[in-house]
Amino acid sequence: MGFGRRTTVVVGGSFAGRRVASLLASDPCLHEVVLVEEKGYTEFTPSILRTLVEPGHPVWEPIQATGIPVKVVTGRAAGASLCKDGQHQGQLALADGRTLPYHFLVIATGSSYLWPIKAGSGDEVKLSTRKEAVSKAAEELRSAGSIAVVGGGPVGVELAAELAGKFGRSKNIVLLTNGSRLLQRMPQKAGYTASRWLRLAGVEVLHGAKVVQWPEGSRQRLCSGTLITQSGREISADLTIDCTGVKLNTELYTSLVEDREGGPEAAAEASRQGIPVKPTLEVVGCPGVFACGDAAGVAAERTAYTADLMAVVVAKNIALLVSRKDSKDAQKKLKEFPGGALSNAWLGQGLQEAPSIAAISLYKYDGIMQFNNLIITGPLAAGTKVMVEFFQLGIARGNTILSKLWLTLEAMNTVMAALPLVLWHKWTELKAFVQAYEAF
């Protein structure tokens, strides 16, 4: 493009959105950045489960204090129109009638979860309402004599661990998963460790327990009732909590494609699999629009770390499109996810899949940390989760020292995680070449 300063509107103020905004805003001569966030505050979602058992645990910061030198707009994105070409701007429409022009639109709208694990919409996202709802849920959990947690993924495991760690054996806690083990998308050691810790803490862990009948309303709110599993077992609980998965927030993409041929089908598919994106994270069929974070349809785990990697790729690509006068030349040089997030060209070109880095807490003093296929358990893993929270909340408060240190640590971790994946890929290529040569 290369025609001077361009406006990028980023929708969503969580991990991916804030990262894109901060990276682009570092060059204000070329980028005017507008960050749209319905809530008006930043919530460190990975710690909300701790807040549900300890309401005083801090997880919120006003978005004005995030230290990002951008224009912050509090409002809900209701729809968007596309740029007609590189010279004319598209429009983002807000629910209150305001419109925001853009040259580039970044959809970082994330995902939704059972209230109160994640905020809903409308009045539910107001900070005062959000705090009140979390406090009310914490009181309900404290008062309940029996709790059924459904879902054996990271959220279900962490919530069951928080409840068991806080209340001990004073409550009857059961964790149901329809899988053969917990944490099925992580190496086997992670599931074994989680199951063993929970059982020692007094949690009843049920494998292969697919729920076929739920108490009315339990998939929207915490409520009491009886669950019925596929085997016919009935489980009654004072509170039932559904942790079986997320809803991807793809409504903004729907507004872009619903009026075109095949649009409704594409929108429905996006709601299940994520917004369709090219390897460059450009939204398919939507020029000037990028998607990153949970809402993007990429073959990678939906974690804060993955969201950060996607944000780096999006920011690099927008910067390339803005700085180069020859748009065709810029398109050829766009970075691809995940390798484009790395500054080392050799590593970036060889990286075929996003590294898997994640931390799951088992209450305060134990945890599980994944570093690709390596699983680290114990206090070190728990400490890593605490460290991430400390850095992220500090960055949200505008601490530039923590922000720079975090970027350095994340870059180091990414290189260490990417290197074995790249070497393994190169070795596989070499092995296949040798086999083909011998066969010839």
Side-chain angles (χ1 to χ4, degrees):
M1 190 171 287
F3 295 104
R5 201 164 186 248
R6 287 291 181 264
T7 299
T8 297
V9 173
V10 182
V11 183
S14 193
F15 295 103
R18 285 194 297 121
R19 187 67 177 273
V20 172
S22 63
L23 289 171
L24 291 177
S26 63
D27 189 355
C29 293
L30 290 178
H31 303 282
E32 178 185 7
V33 185
V34 180
L35 179 62
V36 178
E37 171 53 59
E38 181 181 7
K39 298 189 298 290
Y41 58 88
T42 294
E43 179 176 288
F44 186 65
T45 305
S47 289
I48 197 67
L49 301 178
R50 175 67 49 80
T51 308
L52 287 174
V53 298
E54 296 182 0
H57 191 78
V59 292
W60 299 287
E61 288 292 334
I63 204 165
Q64 289 82 4
T66 58
I68 301 174
V70 303
K71 178 183 178 182
V72 177
V73 174
T74 301
R76 180 173 64 85
S81 60
L82 294 173
C83 297
K84 298 302 181 183
D85 55 54
Q87 302 304 304
H88 296 90
Q89 296 173 307
Q91 297 279 340
L92 176 73
L94 302 182
D96 60 9
R98 289 176 293 171
T99 58
L100 300 172
Y102 70 85
H103 294 97
F104 298 99
L105 176 66
V106 179
I107 303 176
T109 43
S111 57
S112 301
Y113 219 95
L114 173 76
W115 173 270
I117 294 176
K118 280 190 174 182
S121 60
D123 289 340
E124 290 183 345
V125 303
K126 293 179 180 178
L127 185 54
S128 58
T129 306
R130 179 75 172 129
K131 288 182 176 181
E132 182 181 341
V134 170
S135 295
K136 180 181 177 182
E139 177 58 28
E140 290 180 15
L141 291 169
R142 188 190 66 79
S143 302
S146 58
I147 301 173
V149 180
V150 185
V155 176
V157 167
E158 279 204 19
L159 180 55
E162 292 292 339
L163 293 168
K166 178 67 175 178
F167 302 112
R169 296 175 180 268
S170 64
K171 297 183 185 300
N172 179 23
I173 303 169
V174 57
L175 175 62
L176 300 88
T177 175
N178 62 3
S180 58
R181 66 176 179 88
L182 300 178
L183 304 175
Q184 285 196 301
R185 289 158 71 173
M186 297 177 73
Q188 191 169 4
K189 182 181 177 181
Y192 169 78
T193 300
S195 185
R196 181 175 181 274
W197 190 97
L198 290 168
R199 284 186 166 125
L200 288 174
V203 177
E204 182 181 6
V205 180
L206 301 179
H207 301 291
K210 182 178 181 180
V211 177
V212 294
Q213 185 172 323
W214 299 75
E216 185 178 354
S218 62
R219 308 206 75 175
Q220 290 79 41
R221 293 289 190 272
L222 308 184
C223 68
S224 62
T226 300
L227 295 164
I228 301 178
T229 68
Q230 197 169 39
S231 65
R233 179 172 176 177
E234 296 185 2
I235 299 171
S236 297
D238 295 333
L239 282 182
T240 298
I241 309 174
D242 178 14
C243 299
T244 55
V246 300
K247 172 187 174 295
L248 306 181
N249 297 331
T250 58
E251 293 83 1
L252 189 54
Y253 168 74
T254 299
S255 73
L256 291 169
V257 301
E258 61 185 349
D259 292 333
R260 66 176 65 168
E261 185 178 354
E265 292 79 8
E269 180 67 15
S271 69
R272 295 187 295 268
Q273 303 295 331
I275 298 170
V277 292
K278 302 175 185 177
T280 56
L281 299 182
E282 296 169 287
V283 175
V284 175
C286 299
V289 182
F290 292 79
C292 56
D294 283 4
V298 298
E301 290 296 320
R302 288 184 166 92
T303 64
Y305 171 73
T306 304
D308 267 3
L309 290 186
M310 285 192 274
V312 172
V313 173
V314 168
K316 285 184 176 181
N317 286 341
I318 291 176
L320 276 169
L321 291 169
V322 171
S323 63
R324 293 181 179 270
K325 292 184 178 180
D326 188 339
S327 60
K328 291 184 179 180
D329 178 61
Q331 282 288 339
K332 293 177 182 178
K333 296 182 180 297
L334 292 184
K335 308 294 183 181
E336 295 187 356
F337 175 80
L342 296 168
S343 55
N344 183 285
W346 182 81
L347 274 178
Q349 291 172 0
L351 187 62
Q352 303 298 310
E353 59 183 287
S356 296
I357 301 178
I360 296 174
S361 59
L362 299 173
Y363 197 46
K364 293 183 179 180
Y365 311 113
D366 212 337
I368 301 167
M369 181 168 65
Q370 179 184 7
F371 202 79
N372 291 331
N373 290 323
L374 175 66
I375 295 295
I376 300 170
T377 63
L380 177 60
T384 300
K385 185 74 176 287
V386 173
M387 183 190 71
V388 171
E389 177 186 294
F390 170 76
F391 270 90
Q392 289 297 324
L393 289 177
I395 293 169
R397 296 186 192 102
N399 190 314
T400 55
I401 295 176
L402 287 181
S403 179
K404 291 178 180 179
L405 184 56
W406 173 259
L407 292 177
T408 302
L409 290 172
E410 185 176 73
M412 292 171 58
N413 283 333
T414 300
V415 170
M416 288 190 294
L419 185 58
L421 294 177
V422 172
L423 291 177
W424 175 254
H425 177 69
K426 296 295 184 184
W427 165 250
T428 303
E429 284 185 338
L430 178 60
K431 189 176 178 180
F433 173 79
V434 171
Q435 290 174 343
Y437 178 79
E438 290 176 345
F440 179 77

